[in-house]
Amino acid sequence: MAITRIGPNQSINLASNITGTLPTGNGGTGATSFAPGKVLQVVTCTADTTERSSNSTSFVTASNTIFVNITPSATSSKIYVLASGSGFGSTATYNSQYTIYRDSTNLATSSTGGYNIVRTNADNSYGNYCMSFLDSPSSTSQIKYQIYIKSEGGANSVKLNTNGQGLITAFEIAG
């Protein structure tokens, strides 16, 4: 059906005179590409306030719900992940360590700055962790980012959410 403009003494077919980009019907911008650095989506978890603990000397989830699932819109996208919360270590001998995993891959390596450590200078030491990583997953499949914890020594009880809540947020950045 042709779009027409009805006015005094004129009838113009607007279908052939409309130019520019029209917005999409679902409220989107109609854009097909974005400039690098533009935030495309933000996903955050529901705050986890349940105390979780582990004595493992390998990184484990300790059944925590501090995770997000995000599906990048392009393989060139980067994912900026930000996580924070409260931690605990039960001995002065060993540190409590916290990191972010992408699916089964630990994002903390010697090139990314290592793990976030809550120093346990005294028995029953409380602290906070705050970590961020800029990840390049090169994928358009769903990705899970989650907090993992471990003890430097099995006698140390490592805990999450001891005095508050744990959060994780993922930002998709156009590459």
Side-chain angles (χ1 to χ4, degrees), residues 59 98-102 105-116 131 133:
F59 278 112
Y98 303 82
T99 191
I100 300 171
Y101 269 66
R102 175 195 347 109
T105 302
N106 187 350
L107 295 181
T109 66
S110 58
S111 64
T112 61
Y115 314 117
N116 191 276
M131 300 174 284
F133 289 98

Side-chain angles (χ1 to χ4, degrees), residues 8 10 23-24 26 33-34 36 38 40-41 46 53 58-59 63 73 81-82 91 108 116 118 128 139 151 157:
Q10 56 184 337
T24 60
N26 65 1
S33 64
F34 296 98
K38 182 176 177 82
L40 302 179
Q41 64 174 309
T46 302
S53 66
S58 299
F59 278 112
S63 299
S73 58
V81 185
L82 180 61
T91 70
N116 191 276
V118 173
N128 296 307
S139 175
S151 170
S157 178

